Amino acid sequence: MGLAAVLAGIALLVSFDLDISPHRYLRNDVLFRGASSIEAIHSYPTMDPSPFSIALPADLFVRESLRNGELPLWDRMQGGGYPVVAQGNLGVMFPLRWLTAPLPPHQAQSAFLLLTLYLCFAGALLWLLELGSSGVAAAFGAGLYAFSGLMLCQLLFDGVAVFLFLPWLLLAYHRWERRRSYGRFAALAIAFALSFTSGHHMLLASVFLGVALVAGLDFILARRDWRSLAGLGAASVWGALATSFVLLPFWLHLRGAWKYKTESALGQSYEVPDLPGWIHDVSSTVLDGHPPVLDTPDFYQYLGIPAVALALLGGFVAHRKRGLRFLPPALALSFLLCLPGPWMGFLAELPPLSFIQMIYLYVIFVGVVAAAAATGFDWLRLRSASRAVSYTH
């Protein structure tokens, strides 16, 4: 039903020539850096001008190439001058991007955003159902994940296409862990292969860290069979081998394409705030004080008091359930990792954190909060139902 609604939305986009993507901010069809004036860029709802002057024009180039039956290997005016395959960020080989290529250019990106957001919600919903949440609680947690401030601001950067794989990979892993079979291992390997094609590799590194955190804690606290964790590693290797044509150009070109990350002070992306900054970061998760700019911490860190309260409750009650014992330590560790205080400055020098911006890592915290909040939601729902029954008697 949800997919039918998305397809109906895409049909409306095409029928009425609508554009809900950041493409609408481009002043004309000249695809080069500076297509908009500096003054115009400063009026956009993001601090980073790349969606309007670099990334999305390159995305248009990719779509035009696919529509013409050409492989978009390189164009000197696109992606900051780097080959788009070697750069990795545009997800040229992501199958979902190819599916939207036949659509009119002005609606292709909008359709892609709708599809990725739907898959983000669907993946989170199925993962939470797999963890044992009720349908209502799973829908609540999936909505918290897919429509969080982090996901909404990443719609401008195609980041949802990468972040949607956190719940899908965890879903495939938990199914494999519960009943190991060749089919479920193949599904896990395919999920990894698709994730490798999705786009921005530093966003993907954050997704993999989240999967490793949840799987590792579940393995330790629920005393899982070591073959489950070994299967996760093996599936990632098979997924990487299947998409080596995507990964090899990126890794071979890494130092040349990302010199600012590997050979300059700007490469230290994991920035640890001072104590007042940390207090502000923590308070921004529950207090809505964001400016009208989408990719600032005040916007993407916000989750709201009800969500955080339910997550704390869910973390407290989860330790009683064998399949959810990972949630309390996952909440604590993801909080420390994604909202670090000044005492964690040593992490800024450690790879891969030294390559990953805080906004990328925050997906781990949002994913764990969504799972814990669904657990807390179910606990309250069942408790209120039992009280209602006791009152009737």
Side-chain angles (χ1 to χ4, degrees):
M1 185 173 179
L3 181 59
V6 172
L7 294 177
I10 294 173
L12 291 174
L13 291 175
V14 175
S15 300
F16 293 96
D17 193 24
L18 301 176
D19 182 9
I20 61 173
S21 76
H23 281 176
R24 65 188 184 276
Y25 292 108
L26 292 172
R27 296 303 180 92
N28 48 49
D29 294 329
V30 181
L31 304 183
F32 58 88
R33 189 192 302 263
S36 298
S37 65
I38 296 299
E39 292 76 15
I41 287 175
H42 287 167
S43 70
Y44 297 150
T46 174
M47 294 177 64
D48 188 344
S50 64
F52 319 112
S53 59
I54 301 175
L56 289 180
D59 184 76
L60 287 172
F61 159 72
V62 170
R63 294 184 189 282
E64 189 64 25
S65 298
L66 296 177
R67 286 172 65 87
N68 294 333
E70 302 170 354
L71 189 62
L73 295 177
W74 182 79
D75 186 283
R76 64 188 180 88
M77 302 302 292
Q78 309 305 328
Y82 299 126
V84 293
V85 173
Q87 186 191 33
N89 289 3
L90 298 179
V92 174
M93 301 298 179
F94 191 32
L96 190 62
R97 194 178 301 278
W98 290 48
L99 290 176
T100 60
L103 295 175
H106 294 295
Q107 281 77 52
Q109 178 69 10
S110 297
F112 183 74
L113 296 181
L114 286 177
L115 286 170
T116 53
L117 193 61
Y118 165 73
L119 288 175
C120 187
F121 176 85
L125 177 69
L126 293 174
W127 175 49
L128 295 178
L129 289 173
E130 184 69 20
L131 291 180
S133 296
S134 67
V136 175
F140 171 77
L144 179 60
Y145 181 74
F147 302 109
S148 62
L150 175 68
M151 293 302 169
L152 294 182
C153 77
Q154 284 301 310
L155 286 173
L156 293 176
F157 303 88
D158 279 359
V160 181
V162 183
F163 285 156
L164 69 87
F165 282 99
L166 177 62
W168 281 105
L169 285 168
L170 287 171
L171 169 67
Y173 168 71
H174 282 296
R175 286 184 173 177
W176 151 256
E177 175 269 319
R178 282 175 169 76
R179 184 172 66 83
R180 291 186 297 274
S181 67
Y182 290 117
R184 295 192 174 196
F185 179 82
L188 184 56
I190 290 171
F192 271 111
L194 290 172
S195 71
F196 283 124
T197 68
S198 61
H200 201 300
H201 291 283
M202 291 302 103
L203 272 67
L204 190 57
S206 301
V207 169
F208 289 165
L209 284 174
V211 172
L213 176 68
V214 171
L217 289 173
D218 185 52
F219 169 75
I220 295 171
L221 298 175
R223 299 180 181 178
R224 304 293 187 190
D225 191 325
W226 65 269
R227 288 173 291 186
S228 298
L229 206 58
L232 179 68
S236 68
V237 173
W238 278 108
L241 290 175
T243 54
S244 56
F245 61 94
V246 174
L247 297 177
L248 282 178
F250 170 75
W251 287 110
L252 293 174
H253 198 67
L254 178 62
R255 293 193 65 84
W258 285 9
K259 285 186 177 180
Y260 77 97
K261 284 186 176 291
T262 58
E263 299 180 12
S264 74
L266 294 175
Q268 192 177 80
S269 300
Y270 190 82
E271 298 177 357
V272 177
D274 56 14
L275 185 58
W278 177 74
I279 294 174
H280 176 80
D281 285 345
V282 173
S283 64
S284 68
T285 64
V286 294
L287 301 177
D288 183 11
H290 71 83
V293 180
L294 299 183
D295 56 345
T296 57
D298 283 333
F299 184 88
Y300 75 77
Q301 289 176 347
Y302 176 72
L303 294 168
I305 295 176
V308 173
L310 284 173
L312 292 174
L313 174 63
F316 177 74
V317 302
H319 73 279
R320 304 173 185 173
K321 302 179 180 180
R322 183 172 182 266
L324 296 176
R325 288 175 187 166
F326 68 88
L327 274 178
L331 269 176
L333 290 176
S334 62
F335 174 81
L336 291 174
L337 182 67
C338 302
L339 292 165
W343 49 86
M344 298 181 65
F346 66 95
L347 291 177
E349 302 291 339
L350 299 178
L353 293 182
S354 57
F355 291 89
I356 303 177
Q357 293 188 24
M358 203 67 72
I359 188 173
Y360 305 164
L361 280 173
Y362 201 69
V363 69
I364 303 174
F365 186 60
V366 176
V368 175
V369 165
T375 304
F377 186 99
D378 261 342
W379 187 86
L380 285 180
R381 184 180 62 86
L382 294 174
R383 186 174 177 83
S384 62
S386 63
R387 284 185 173 181
V389 171
S390 65
Y391 290 150
T392 58
H393 294 284

